[in-house]
Amino acid sequence: MPGIPACWPRRCEGAVEGRSAGSAPAETVNPAVIEAMSESGIDVSAETPKVLTVEAVRASDVVITMGRGDTCPVFPGKTYLDWKLDDPAGQGVDAVRPIRDEIEGHVRGLLADLGVKPRP
């Protein structure tokens, strides 16, 4: 879900930086994702899907995959998490909302584990 995990950290006032990328990203962000995120007060309309690069993984402390078999470089000392989520590709907003909410729960849990408190 392009941009979603990367967006909630925006509410952390610089305490963390989120990135979103995939091994085979779509050409555009699903309009249902844009709508669902907008409902949560997060604008992803200007986001573009990005290819996961070695440099992005190397620069990250925590690397999260979404349970769809993304290939990801592995570096010692990084934390790797795999969140098994439904794929929003081609889905409407009614199907995307529960995925968005599940991701938000995962992100909030990760931020709590990292000792970071997002603003509401």
Side-chain angles (χ1 to χ4, degrees), residues 25-119:
E27 291 193 22
T28 61
V29 177
N30 178 344
V33 169
I34 294 170
E35 183 177 345
M37 292 303 291
S38 178
E39 293 170 358
S40 291
I42 299 172
D43 181 7
V44 296
S45 62
E47 297 292 327
T48 56
K50 297 166 187 65
V51 173
L52 181 67
T53 65
V54 171
E55 293 79 19
V57 174
R58 187 175 283 129
S60 300
D61 296 315
V62 179
V63 180
I64 301 163
T65 56
M66 301 282 171
R68 290 189 285 286
D70 280 336
T71 56
C72 183
V74 176
F75 293 101
K78 307 291 179 192
T79 298
Y80 291 85
L81 304 173
D82 187 37
W83 296 345
K84 306 254 187 271
L85 302 164
D86 291 334
D87 190 347
Q91 301 295 321
V93 71
D94 289 336
V96 170
R97 285 183 188 114
I99 301 168
R100 172 204 62 201
D101 295 345
E102 186 174 357
I103 292 171
E104 180 178 13
H106 283 301
V107 170
R108 288 186 180 280
L110 176 59
L111 293 173
D113 290 347
L114 296 172
V116 177
K117 189 172 192 175
R119 64 182 189 265

